[in-house]
Amino acid sequence: MPAEWERQSAVQLTWPHQDTDWAPMLPEITAVYEQMAREISKREELIIVAPKDTQLPTIVNCKLSICKSNDTWARDHGFITVEEHGDGSSQSENFSPPPSTLHLPPSTVKLLDFKFNGWGEKFPAERDNAINRQLYEQGIVKGTYEDHLDFVLEGGSIESDGKGTVFTTTSCLMAPHRNQPLTQAEIEERLKLWLGAERIVWINHGSLIGDDTDGHIDTLVRICPDDTLLYIGCDDKDDEQYEELQLMERELQALRTLDGRPYRLLRLPIPRPIYDGEADSSFFILHSSLKDRLPATYANYLVVNGAVLVPTYNQPDLDAEALRIIGKAFPDRETVGIDCRPVIRQHGSLHCCTMQYY
């Protein structure tokens, strides 16, 4: 499985529309998607998935796929792409994956179509789960299709360094309504086989209040070039997330690379708490008396060709610090901030909205 910073061929956005949960705030979220679309299409091809008759901006360097969708989280319903080497497989002695339903000629890229079930059957996902097959059949994406629709795996739940290590979290992959009754060891064996990984690193701590995903790795820890880990940290003992994030930080400090060296750790700030406000034009207020804290995180950035698109939250000091630290991890790329306050109203952020192809 390539690292995200490797050369990409395209990025997918599944566009918000009136039949999604974005309906009450469609102008606000559409403006964010338009900004993402412009920044991506400057640097590589953009794939937009949208139902028929959706009003879309004029975007150069863009392919349109007409598909119905439940929602817009392309990271979790999109294909996971891996690079083929040789015959494209490495069989396990004890496990054989389900056969593909399509028998296609060899390709340099495999398009792995896993099941998306609304993060453990929390939300409807039958339309989202059909998008990948349509993208393939329409010729929008190229590669060898692999059907893994009997296994739940979301793109936001895994991170690859492109050289044999994949990170994930126990809180997500072992959560109810994903892949029971498989054990952690059985899930790990499948991930190694399908993703071409030498090892799976399971992060056991760290969580964000308001996160519907059960702890996706892309909200907490991101792998960067030169054995660098970007992660969110917290020093405020009064923050409800303090203890878990402290424990996660200790886990990361104890980790070693495949060749036995400690990782270079870069600590991102965590945004000050943002609470879901009343449904008016602002949507957001900073107020500790409200209960519905939103899962804002700077770790949910997207790497594209030549740039890193970074979520910001109208907290100028912390936004600037996050951009600076992410720039240290990716010194050869431009860092571009995108205000993601509308996105977190539906409990995701920038990376969750996108999926890259190689």
Side-chain angles (χ1 to χ4, degrees), residues 46-87:
L46 175 67
I47 298 168
I48 292 179
V49 174
K52 187 178 179 180
D53 299 328
T54 302
Q55 187 173 357
L56 296 169
T58 301
I59 300 289
V60 298
N61 198 22
C62 177
K63 287 182 180 177
L64 174 62
S65 174
I66 301 298
C67 298
K68 293 181 178 180
S69 66
N70 299 100
D71 218 322
T72 59
W73 306 109
R75 179 63 45 182
D76 296 336
H77 65 242
F79 278 116
I80 294 171
T81 53
V82 299
E83 295 177 341
E84 285 187 315
H85 300 286
D87 66 358

Tab-separated table of all heavy atoms in Angstrom, residues 46-87:
chain	number	residue	atom	x	y	z
A	46	LEU	N	-9.000	15.532	-10.618
A	46	LEU	CA	-10.045	15.429	-9.611
A	46	LEU	C	-11.173	14.555	-10.145
A	46	LEU	O	-11.583	14.696	-11.303
A	46	LEU	CB	-10.590	16.820	-9.276
A	46	LEU	CG	-11.782	16.893	-8.324
A	46	LEU	CD1	-11.379	16.448	-6.930
A	46	LEU	CD2	-12.359	18.306	-8.297
A	47	ILE	N	-11.659	13.645	-9.317
A	47	ILE	CA	-12.832	12.840	-9.625
A	47	ILE	C	-13.966	13.322	-8.730
A	47	ILE	O	-13.825	13.338	-7.501
A	47	ILE	CB	-12.574	11.343	-9.375
A	47	ILE	CG1	-11.460	10.831	-10.286
A	47	ILE	CG2	-13.847	10.526	-9.575
A	47	ILE	CD1	-10.950	9.446	-9.894
A	48	ILE	N	-15.064	13.733	-9.343
A	48	ILE	CA	-16.246	14.130	-8.575
A	48	ILE	C	-17.333	13.092	-8.790
A	48	ILE	O	-17.693	12.777	-9.927
A	48	ILE	CB	-16.757	15.524	-8.975
A	48	ILE	CG1	-15.754	16.606	-8.555
A	48	ILE	CG2	-18.127	15.803	-8.340
A	48	ILE	CD1	-16.172	18.014	-8.925
A	49	VAL	N	-17.833	12.540	-7.684
A	49	VAL	CA	-18.966	11.609	-7.703
A	49	VAL	C	-20.193	12.381	-7.248
A	49	VAL	O	-20.185	12.985	-6.171
A	49	VAL	CB	-18.706	10.407	-6.778
A	49	VAL	CG1	-19.944	9.517	-6.695
A	49	VAL	CG2	-17.496	9.602	-7.260
A	50	ALA	N	-21.243	12.366	-8.061
A	50	ALA	CA	-22.452	13.125	-7.709
A	50	ALA	C	-23.650	12.520	-8.414
A	50	ALA	O	-23.534	11.971	-9.511
A	50	ALA	CB	-22.299	14.590	-8.119
A	51	PRO	N	-24.834	12.624	-7.803
A	51	PRO	CA	-26.046	12.183	-8.486
A	51	PRO	C	-26.368	13.082	-9.679
A	51	PRO	O	-25.881	14.218	-9.773
A	51	PRO	CB	-27.135	12.298	-7.412
A	51	PRO	CG	-26.416	12.460	-6.121
A	51	PRO	CD	-25.102	13.092	-6.439
A	52	LYS	N	-27.176	12.578	-10.552
A	52	LYS	CA	-27.626	13.346	-11.703
A	52	LYS	C	-28.294	14.642	-11.242
A	52	LYS	O	-28.982	14.676	-10.219
A	52	LYS	CB	-28.613	12.502	-12.525
A	52	LYS	CG	-29.037	13.128	-13.838
A	52	LYS	CD	-29.967	12.187	-14.586
A	52	LYS	CE	-30.416	12.805	-15.904
A	52	LYS	NZ	-31.331	11.899	-16.654
A	53	ASP	N	-28.049	15.703	-11.982
A	53	ASP	CA	-28.669	17.019	-11.764
A	53	ASP	C	-28.116	17.764	-10.544
A	53	ASP	O	-28.669	18.800	-10.162
A	53	ASP	CB	-30.194	16.914	-11.640
A	53	ASP	CG	-30.846	16.344	-12.902
A	53	ASP	OD1	-30.310	16.595	-13.996
A	53	ASP	OD2	-31.865	15.640	-12.773
A	54	THR	N	-27.050	17.252	-9.919
A	54	THR	CA	-26.408	18.021	-8.849
A	54	THR	C	-25.729	19.247	-9.449
A	54	THR	O	-25.036	19.141	-10.471
A	54	THR	CB	-25.365	17.168	-8.111
A	54	THR	OG1	-25.999	16.009	-7.590
A	54	THR	CG2	-24.727	17.939	-6.967
A	55	GLN	N	-25.930	20.396	-8.843
A	55	GLN	CA	-25.279	21.606	-9.335
A	55	GLN	C	-23.822	21.604	-8.905
A	55	GLN	O	-23.504	21.571	-7.713
A	55	GLN	CB	-25.987	22.850	-8.797
A	55	GLN	CG	-25.459	24.146	-9.402
A	55	GLN	CD	-26.287	25.351	-8.993
A	55	GLN	OE1	-27.293	25.224	-8.306
A	55	GLN	NE2	-25.858	26.532	-9.403
A	56	LEU	N	-22.920	21.637	-9.885
A	56	LEU	CA	-21.485	21.542	-9.618
A	56	LEU	C	-20.772	22.769	-10.174
A	56	LEU	O	-21.204	23.352	-11.181
A	56	LEU	CB	-20.908	20.281	-10.267
A	56	LEU	CG	-21.436	18.943	-9.742
A	56	LEU	CD1	-20.978	17.801	-10.645
A	56	LEU	CD2	-20.980	18.711	-8.304
A	57	PRO	N	-19.665	23.160	-9.557
A	57	PRO	CA	-18.876	24.264	-10.094
A	57	PRO	C	-18.136	23.825	-11.351
A	57	PRO	O	-17.970	22.630	-11.604
A	57	PRO	CB	-17.901	24.578	-8.955
A	57	PRO	CG	-17.723	23.266	-8.266
A	57	PRO	CD	-19.063	22.579	-8.347
A	58	THR	N	-17.681	24.786	-12.115
A	58	THR	CA	-16.836	24.485	-13.271
A	58	THR	C	-15.411	24.293	-12.777
A	58	THR	O	-14.797	25.220	-12.243
A	58	THR	CB	-16.892	25.622	-14.297
A	58	THR	OG1	-18.256	25.785	-14.721
A	58	THR	CG2	-16.016	25.312	-15.500
A	59	ILE	N	-14.918	23.067	-12.923
A	59	ILE	CA	-13.583	22.717	-12.435
A	59	ILE	C	-12.788	22.137	-13.597
A	59	ILE	O	-13.243	21.197	-14.268
A	59	ILE	CB	-13.652	21.680	-11.288
A	59	ILE	CG1	-14.448	22.233	-10.102
A	59	ILE	CG2	-12.248	21.270	-10.850
A	59	ILE	CD1	-13.787	23.329	-9.324
A	60	VAL	N	-11.619	22.675	-13.851
A	60	VAL	CA	-10.753	22.104	-14.874
A	60	VAL	C	-10.080	20.854	-14.308
A	60	VAL	O	-10.023	20.648	-13.092
A	60	VAL	CB	-9.686	23.114	-15.339
A	60	VAL	CG1	-10.346	24.331	-15.973
A	60	VAL	CG2	-8.792	23.545	-14.176
A	61	ASN	N	-9.572	20.009	-15.192
A	61	ASN	CA	-8.835	18.808	-14.783
A	61	ASN	C	-9.702	17.909	-13.910
A	61	ASN	O	-9.283	17.436	-12.847
A	61	ASN	CB	-7.556	19.205	-14.044
A	61	ASN	CG	-6.535	18.090	-13.976
A	61	ASN	OD1	-6.571	17.159	-14.788
A	61	ASN	ND2	-5.642	18.156	-13.018
A	62	CYS	N	-10.927	17.668	-14.362
A	62	CYS	CA	-11.905	16.958	-13.534
A	62	CYS	C	-12.660	15.928	-14.356
A	62	CYS	O	-13.020	16.178	-15.507
A	62	CYS	CB	-12.882	17.974	-12.939
A	62	CYS	SG	-14.200	17.253	-11.945
A	63	LYS	N	-12.906	14.755	-13.763
A	63	LYS	CA	-13.793	13.743	-14.313
A	63	LYS	C	-15.021	13.650	-13.421
A	63	LYS	O	-14.900	13.651	-12.194
A	63	LYS	CB	-13.111	12.368	-14.348
A	63	LYS	CG	-12.034	12.208	-15.403
A	63	LYS	CD	-11.486	10.786	-15.354
A	63	LYS	CE	-10.400	10.574	-16.400
A	63	LYS	NZ	-9.835	9.194	-16.287
A	64	LEU	N	-16.191	13.513	-14.041
A	64	LEU	CA	-17.444	13.411	-13.305
A	64	LEU	C	-18.000	12.000	-13.426
A	64	LEU	O	-18.090	11.442	-14.523
A	64	LEU	CB	-18.470	14.408	-13.840
A	64	LEU	CG	-19.881	14.328	-13.258
A	64	LEU	CD1	-19.869	14.608	-11.760
A	64	LEU	CD2	-20.810	15.287	-13.989
A	65	SER	N	-18.382	11.423	-12.294
A	65	SER	CA	-19.055	10.129	-12.261
A	65	SER	C	-20.453	10.337	-11.685
A	65	SER	O	-20.598	10.829	-10.563
A	65	SER	CB	-18.279	9.129	-11.405
A	65	SER	OG	-18.998	7.926	-11.267
A	66	ILE	N	-21.467	9.974	-12.445
A	66	ILE	CA	-22.842	10.112	-11.987
A	66	ILE	C	-23.215	8.875	-11.182
A	66	ILE	O	-23.346	7.770	-11.721
A	66	ILE	CB	-23.815	10.290	-13.171
A	66	ILE	CG1	-23.430	11.535	-13.976
A	66	ILE	CG2	-25.254	10.390	-12.681
A	66	ILE	CD1	-23.495	12.832	-13.203
A	67	CYS	N	-23.331	9.040	-9.881
A	67	CYS	CA	-23.686	7.950	-8.964
A	67	CYS	C	-24.543	8.514	-7.840
A	67	CYS	O	-24.286	9.620	-7.349
A	67	CYS	CB	-22.446	7.312	-8.331
A	67	CYS	SG	-21.277	6.524	-9.434
A	68	LYS	N	-25.486	7.739	-7.388
A	68	LYS	CA	-26.218	8.096	-6.182
A	68	LYS	C	-25.331	7.846	-4.967
A	68	LYS	O	-24.459	6.971	-4.986
A	68	LYS	CB	-27.500	7.277	-6.081
A	68	LYS	CG	-28.527	7.597	-7.163
A	68	LYS	CD	-29.788	6.754	-6.981
A	68	LYS	CE	-30.822	7.106	-8.042
A	68	LYS	NZ	-32.061	6.296	-7.892
A	69	SER	N	-25.566	8.605	-3.896
A	69	SER	CA	-24.787	8.411	-2.668
A	69	SER	C	-25.642	8.683	-1.453
A	69	SER	O	-26.569	9.496	-1.503
A	69	SER	CB	-23.551	9.319	-2.653
A	69	SER	OG	-23.932	10.685	-2.589
A	70	ASN	N	-25.325	7.990	-0.353
A	70	ASN	CA	-25.953	8.282	0.935
A	70	ASN	C	-25.356	9.525	1.557
A	70	ASN	O	-26.056	10.337	2.167
A	70	ASN	CB	-25.770	7.123	1.911
A	70	ASN	CG	-26.397	5.844	1.440
A	70	ASN	OD1	-25.697	4.971	0.925
A	70	ASN	ND2	-27.706	5.711	1.579
A	71	ASP	N	-24.017	9.637	1.430
A	71	ASP	CA	-23.299	10.724	2.080
A	71	ASP	C	-22.053	11.029	1.276
A	71	ASP	O	-21.985	10.681	0.092
A	71	ASP	CB	-22.999	10.382	3.538
A	71	ASP	CG	-23.150	11.604	4.453
A	71	ASP	OD1	-22.781	12.715	4.019
A	71	ASP	OD2	-23.627	11.454	5.592
A	72	THR	N	-21.045	11.620	1.897
A	72	THR	CA	-19.943	12.186	1.111
A	72	THR	C	-18.557	11.765	1.591
A	72	THR	O	-17.568	12.358	1.176
A	72	THR	CB	-20.024	13.723	1.150
A	72	THR	OG1	-19.943	14.176	2.508
A	72	THR	CG2	-21.313	14.213	0.531
A	73	TRP	N	-18.452	10.741	2.422
A	73	TRP	CA	-17.167	10.417	3.050
A	73	TRP	C	-16.369	9.463	2.156
A	73	TRP	O	-16.278	8.264	2.398
A	73	TRP	CB	-17.396	9.844	4.439
A	73	TRP	CG	-18.244	10.767	5.277
A	73	TRP	CD1	-19.536	10.573	5.663
A	73	TRP	CD2	-17.860	12.046	5.792
A	73	TRP	NE1	-19.980	11.648	6.400
A	73	TRP	CE2	-18.980	12.568	6.486
A	73	TRP	CE3	-16.690	12.805	5.718
A	73	TRP	CZ2	-18.959	13.809	7.128
A	73	TRP	CZ3	-16.674	14.039	6.353
A	73	TRP	CH2	-17.788	14.527	7.042
A	74	ALA	N	-15.755	10.028	1.116
A	74	ALA	CA	-15.032	9.225	0.121
A	74	ALA	C	-13.884	8.441	0.744
A	74	ALA	O	-13.531	7.364	0.251
A	74	ALA	CB	-14.501	10.134	-0.989
A	75	ARG	N	-13.292	8.959	1.796
A	75	ARG	CA	-12.190	8.233	2.445
A	75	ARG	C	-12.605	6.838	2.861
A	75	ARG	O	-11.803	5.904	2.814
A	75	ARG	CB	-11.721	9.036	3.672
A	75	ARG	CG	-10.602	8.418	4.494
A	75	ARG	CD	-9.321	8.253	3.743
A	75	ARG	NE	-8.951	9.424	2.964
A	75	ARG	CZ	-7.878	9.506	2.197
A	75	ARG	NH1	-7.064	8.460	2.093
A	75	ARG	NH2	-7.613	10.601	1.510
A	76	ASP	N	-13.852	6.685	3.249
A	76	ASP	CA	-14.273	5.421	3.846
A	76	ASP	C	-15.077	4.537	2.905
A	76	ASP	O	-15.177	3.334	3.132
A	76	ASP	CB	-15.050	5.699	5.129
A	76	ASP	CG	-14.170	6.370	6.164
A	76	ASP	OD1	-12.938	6.207	6.088
A	76	ASP	OD2	-14.699	7.075	7.044
A	77	HIS	N	-15.648	5.107	1.834
A	77	HIS	CA	-16.313	4.232	0.865
A	77	HIS	C	-15.525	4.078	-0.423
A	77	HIS	O	-15.880	3.264	-1.280
A	77	HIS	CB	-17.747	4.694	0.575
A	77	HIS	CG	-17.868	6.035	-0.094
A	77	HIS	ND1	-18.502	7.094	0.499
A	77	HIS	CD2	-17.464	6.494	-1.301
A	77	HIS	CE1	-18.489	8.137	-0.312
A	77	HIS	NE2	-17.853	7.799	-1.414
A	78	GLY	N	-14.436	4.848	-0.589
A	78	GLY	CA	-13.652	4.780	-1.813
A	78	GLY	C	-12.773	3.544	-1.877
A	78	GLY	O	-12.534	2.852	-0.884
A	79	PHE	N	-12.291	3.245	-3.095
A	79	PHE	CA	-11.308	2.179	-3.267
A	79	PHE	C	-10.078	2.438	-2.407
A	79	PHE	O	-9.659	3.587	-2.223
A	79	PHE	CB	-10.824	2.124	-4.719
A	79	PHE	CG	-11.712	1.392	-5.678
A	79	PHE	CD1	-12.328	2.071	-6.724
A	79	PHE	CD2	-11.914	0.028	-5.558
A	79	PHE	CE1	-13.121	1.398	-7.636
A	79	PHE	CE2	-12.711	-0.658	-6.468
A	79	PHE	CZ	-13.322	0.031	-7.507
A	80	ILE	N	-9.470	1.381	-1.913
A	80	ILE	CA	-8.118	1.440	-1.365
A	80	ILE	C	-7.197	0.875	-2.428
A	80	ILE	O	-7.371	-0.264	-2.874
A	80	ILE	CB	-8.013	0.642	-0.046
A	80	ILE	CG1	-8.870	1.324	1.025
A	80	ILE	CG2	-6.556	0.541	0.405
A	80	ILE	CD1	-9.013	0.517	2.300
A	81	THR	N	-6.246	1.684	-2.899
A	81	THR	CA	-5.373	1.239	-3.974
A	81	THR	C	-4.043	0.746	-3.420
A	81	THR	O	-3.479	1.331	-2.490
A	81	THR	CB	-5.110	2.368	-4.987
A	81	THR	OG1	-4.644	3.525	-4.300
A	81	THR	CG2	-6.373	2.731	-5.736
A	82	VAL	N	-3.573	-0.353	-3.986
A	82	VAL	CA	-2.258	-0.888	-3.636
A	82	VAL	C	-1.496	-1.164	-4.929
A	82	VAL	O	-2.101	-1.390	-5.985
A	82	VAL	CB	-2.358	-2.172	-2.776
A	82	VAL	CG1	-3.077	-1.897	-1.481
A	82	VAL	CG2	-3.031	-3.295	-3.540
A	83	GLU	N	-0.188	-1.136	-4.847
A	83	GLU	CA	0.649	-1.407	-6.003
A	83	GLU	C	0.898	-2.899	-6.123
A	83	GLU	O	1.154	-3.578	-5.126
A	83	GLU	CB	1.975	-0.668	-5.881
A	83	GLU	CG	1.835	0.849	-5.915
A	83	GLU	CD	3.146	1.557	-5.710
A	83	GLU	OE1	4.084	0.916	-5.186
A	83	GLU	OE2	3.245	2.744	-6.058
A	84	GLU	N	0.855	-3.401	-7.355
A	84	GLU	CA	1.169	-4.797	-7.617
A	84	GLU	C	2.654	-4.957	-7.871
A	84	GLU	O	3.283	-4.106	-8.485
A	84	GLU	CB	0.416	-5.288	-8.850
A	84	GLU	CG	-1.054	-5.538	-8.629
A	84	GLU	CD	-1.688	-6.181	-9.841
A	84	GLU	OE1	-1.415	-5.721	-10.954
A	84	GLU	OE2	-2.438	-7.143	-9.648
A	85	HIS	N	3.197	-6.091	-7.444
A	85	HIS	CA	4.571	-6.465	-7.746
A	85	HIS	C	4.562	-7.909	-8.210
A	85	HIS	O	3.969	-8.774	-7.571
A	85	HIS	CB	5.466	-6.310	-6.525
A	85	HIS	CG	5.512	-4.907	-6.011
A	85	HIS	ND1	6.209	-3.905	-6.647
A	85	HIS	CD2	4.918	-4.325	-4.944
A	85	HIS	CE1	6.048	-2.774	-5.982
A	85	HIS	NE2	5.277	-2.999	-4.936
A	86	GLY	N	5.198	-8.191	-9.332
A	86	GLY	CA	5.199	-9.562	-9.844
A	86	GLY	C	3.802	-9.990	-10.201
A	86	GLY	O	3.119	-9.351	-10.994
A	87	ASP	N	3.334	-11.080	-9.566
A	87	ASP	CA	1.986	-11.573	-9.863
A	87	ASP	C	0.928	-10.871	-9.029
A	87	ASP	O	-0.252	-11.189	-9.097
A	87	ASP	CB	1.892	-13.086	-9.654
A	87	ASP	CG	2.078	-13.500	-8.202
A	87	ASP	OD1	2.310	-12.612	-7.355
A	87	ASP	OD2	1.994	-14.703	-7.915
